[in-house]
Amino acid sequence: PGWFSELSPMWPGEAHSLKVEKILFQGKSDYQNVLVFQSSTYGKVLVLDGVIQVAERDECAYQEMITHLPLCSISNPKKVLVIGGGDGGVLREVSRYTSVEQIDICEIDKMVVDVSKQFFPHLAVGYEDPRVTLHIGDGVAFLKDAPEGTYDAVIVDSSDPIGPAQELFEKPFFQSVAKALRPGGVVCTQAESIWLHMHIIEGIVSACCQIFKGSVNYAWTTVPTYPSGAIGFMLCSTEGPAVDFQHPVYQIDEDEASNKSKGPLKFYNSQIHSAAFCLPSFAKRVIDSK
Ligand SMILES: NCCCN[C@H]1CC[C@H](NCCCN)CC1
């Protein structure tokens, strides 16, 4: 009954709106306000502190890209860590890799996990994989305790820098990620929109260039329900076996039979992978100058 508009000081002067059929859940966790509604045209929608996190219709773009951009850039990933991502969508994508033996996930807000399991079965299916271990807690602390060189890949599926995810955009966190990665290991983080946050991206790129001595690349994709319709990812590798993010060593769209419970990939393919690193000039100027 009515419209949900995504107003935020993070994107002044604009607000994406979705027509609401029914409010399905409203709650307040220890960290944020949690809302789930049935939209008219994008399926069910999860909102945290007034910011759209996932919509059933277009979540495939974000979850597939944030997962397959890093994991198709290395051979035979075995140990993967997800920071954030409590809705389970990234877990669903990581579990497509038969080479993966261990999937750790550290989500700070248990309500996000519980709400996803209740209202978003196509995302929470990720938790059914026996390789998954869920840790409820702060990703910064989790990484501090992680033994050096543990992971082949870390995926930082965060919300935005206002709220619980703020510290996931800062240097100390990136340093702890680098320590937890093996030589030549890769990290992929949610890295905002080139249309809205070039300044934030500039900060992330310079921090990552100081910390990750392999390669540092920015990629982007379209997600209609995120403000500006675009979202980006920071892809970095540690010193060690070189990683060429723009030319994936692994072709999941052909090689990996799409698992029954997850269905086929709806968005990612190897052409989209390479294309994701092609940037408009205004963004190249800032990002490539680092
Ligand atoms: N597994 C999905 C988690 C969603 N991550 C974030 C949710 C908030 C969204 N704001 C976009 C703000 C403009 N860049 C970015 C992705």
Side-chain angles (χ1 to χ4, degrees), residues 11 52-54 62-63 87 157-158 160 192-193 226 231:
W11 35 91
I52 292 173
Q53 303 294 308
V54 291
Y62 177 89
Q63 322 281 13
D87 54 65
D157 177 17
S158 69
D160 298 308
E192 300 302 342
S193 165
Y226 288 162
I231 190 73

Side-chain angles (χ1 to χ4, degrees), residues 224-239:
T225 53
Y226 288 162
S228 80
I231 190 73
F233 310 97
M234 205 75 237
L235 285 122
C236 312
S237 61
T238 55
E239 197 153 18

Side-chain angles (χ1 to χ4, degrees), residues 213-229:
K213 294 304 172 193
S215 47
V216 173
N217 291 253
Y218 184 89
W220 65 312
T221 194
T222 85
V223 182
T225 53
Y226 288 162
S228 80

